[in-house]
Amino acid sequence: MAVRFTNPLNSDQFRKAVNTDPEFKIAARYMTKDACIEVGEVRCIVKFRDGIVSQIKTEATFADPWDFAIRGSVDAWEKFLQLVPPRFYDGLFAGMIRGNFRIDGDTISAFSHFWAITRLLDIFRELQNK
Amino acid sequence: MLKIEPIVGRYIYLTVQGTEYRIYYEESGKGIPIICQHAGGSQTLEWRFMLNDPEIISKYHIVSADLPYHGKSLPPDSIEWWKEDYKLTKSFFMDFQLELSRALGLQRPIYLGQNSAGFLALDLALEHPDDFRAVIGVNTSIKGGPSTMERYYHPAIGNNYKRATALAFCAPTSPEKLRRADSWCAMLSAPPVTGGDLYFYFYEHDLTGKTHLIDTSRCAVYLLTGEYDSTSSIEDTIELAKQIKGAKFTEMKNMSHCGMPENPELFKTYLMPILNEIAIQSDKKQR
């Protein structure tokens, strides 16, 4: 299974879907952060500006700055993105408890915007399975 | 048509460890008493399905109370509680159950709790086996994992963090409207309350080296754990059950950490055989 949100061809579609989602709009208010999402060796930067995803920068490099990073293996993300994920991959929090995902960097910012982040990833799952 | 539920809510004054508390509790039904204790950072709302279920309340007397600092139970008037962090200790948590049972005249109730309240089920079975005919621990293990409670005291961590984590603690197969309601309930309790409850979860509950002392002939022990629960996995609870002679374990397929509120119909299919077994055993002992 190819992880769709890291594909540059999908960036605009994913960004628009997130920004038009009613729950995300509420959850992400006041959020201005750069989140690095790592899928194995591949990384993309999701830029949040005043509650809007202004850019999903795929093929990001070590030179791209970020506030916090959400990291998991390719296998972990593939399980997470299944329509009905297996246990310990069914959410970021469950995955972190079991060591399948981790958050690095400014973890306080990540947890203070955890609702927005988890909604973003749920939308990514919905789009992955469309 | 007017709809009124059978649940009755009242306030009772309980003196626990020398301090008087004004406690909100709900009850319904008649029969074998069951104390349903809410989880950390939650309140009696968690047990509304139990309190409303016609089959359950036709045979059982359900009692559910808000711990002090939770729901409609305020901190006590008689101490300057604002000068220290709220922390739930094991001794207080146990004494609260004993005092609630005594004050309401419950005769050796069944104790039912999930998550941190599920952890307490085992502590009660160990330390107060003659006060409860049985305990049912939902999502339990020998001890909690490494502590994350400090996070809840940071001013940047608000109730929406609790909303998001509660959602993550429901199985993906649970009905969305119930997952959302449960996450809303979790959000009603302020983060420092959850942090304080987790003190018991992470630092006070530890059955390492003590499980063999639990006597299930005096207090029966039932363990239920959700397939998706990441905090107490089914393997964690199986290990716990192996160490308690006579304890009975059931895996709850398609359920997770939140237990009854995330999927009450499914939860009931796992709970009722246990309640029926306890009722039969209670009848035998009465004869």
Side-chain angles (χ1 to χ4, degrees), chain B residues 5-223:
Chain B
E5 296 187 353
I7 304 172
V8 175
R10 303 184 75 173
Y11 290 90
I12 188 170
Y13 287 81
L14 300 181
T15 298
V16 184
Q17 299 188 338
T19 300
E20 185 182 73
Y21 297 88
R22 178 178 181 258
I23 297 299
Y24 175 75
Y25 75 100
E26 296 180 343
E27 63 182 335
S28 68
K30 285 183 178 174
I32 296 172
I34 307 178
I35 292 179
C36 295
Q37 176 58 56
H38 65 74
S42 188
Q43 52 185 285
T44 56
L45 272 171
E46 186 177 290
W47 291 108
R48 64 194 182 281
F49 299 105
M50 189 90 176
L51 287 150
N52 270 320
D53 189 286
E55 184 186 4
I56 293 174
I57 65 176
S58 69
K59 293 181 186 169
Y60 300 93
H61 174 199
I62 312 300
V63 174
S64 183
D66 287 336
L67 285 173
Y69 301 83
H70 298 69
K72 292 188 177 74
S73 297
L74 286 168
D77 287 336
S78 61
I79 60 171
E80 294 180 327
W81 52 267
W82 54 91
K83 293 185 177 176
E84 58 187 38
D85 278 333
Y86 160 71
K87 280 184 181 173
L88 181 63
T89 64
K90 183 174 75 173
S91 68
F92 181 90
F93 207 1
M94 287 196 294
D95 286 352
F96 180 85
Q97 310 303 328
L98 297 175
E99 184 55 22
L100 178 68
S101 177
R102 188 203 62 77
L104 295 177
L106 308 180
Q107 299 298 312
R108 293 195 76 218
I110 299 167
Y111 172 89
L112 168 60
Q114 50 197 27
N115 312 329
S116 57
F119 278 26
L120 189 75
L122 280 303
D123 295 310
L124 290 170
L126 175 66
E127 299 192 32
H128 299 283
D130 298 325
D131 293 295
F132 299 91
R133 68 186 73 197
V135 296
I136 306 169
V138 182
N139 296 325
T140 58
S141 47
I142 292 170
K143 61 180 291 189
S147 172
T148 56
M149 64 176 278
E150 291 73 17
R151 181 189 311 152
Y152 290 94
Y153 297 107
H154 196 286
I157 305 298
N159 285 31
N160 280 331
Y161 172 72
K162 291 193 61 191
R163 175 204 292 248
T165 52
L167 261 184
F169 277 145
C170 296
T173 47
S174 289
E176 177 156 20
K177 67 178 182 179
L178 293 170
R179 294 170 58 224
R180 296 292 183 165
D182 194 52
S183 73
W184 185 265
C185 289
M187 196 170 64
L188 295 176
S189 193
V193 177
T194 303
D197 288 340
L198 290 173
Y199 180 76
F200 162 73
Y201 185 93
F202 287 120
Y203 293 110
E204 296 257 302
H205 170 83
D206 186 355
L207 291 172
T208 306
K210 300 174 189 168
T211 46
H212 67 285
L213 299 172
I214 295 176
D215 183 351
T216 58
S217 70
R218 291 163 71 189
C219 176
V221 172
Y222 297 88
L223 304 171

Side-chain angles (χ1 to χ4, degrees), chain A residues 25-52:
Chain A
K25 284 182 184 178
I26 298 170
R29 279 177 299 196
Y30 313 115
M31 185 175 181
T32 296
K33 296 289 173 189
D34 293 341
C36 173
I37 304 180
E38 282 190 4
V39 180
E41 299 297 315
V42 175
R43 60 168 51 178
C44 66
I45 310 287
V46 181
K47 293 178 178 289
F48 299 83
R49 293 294 177 270
D50 289 327
I52 293 168

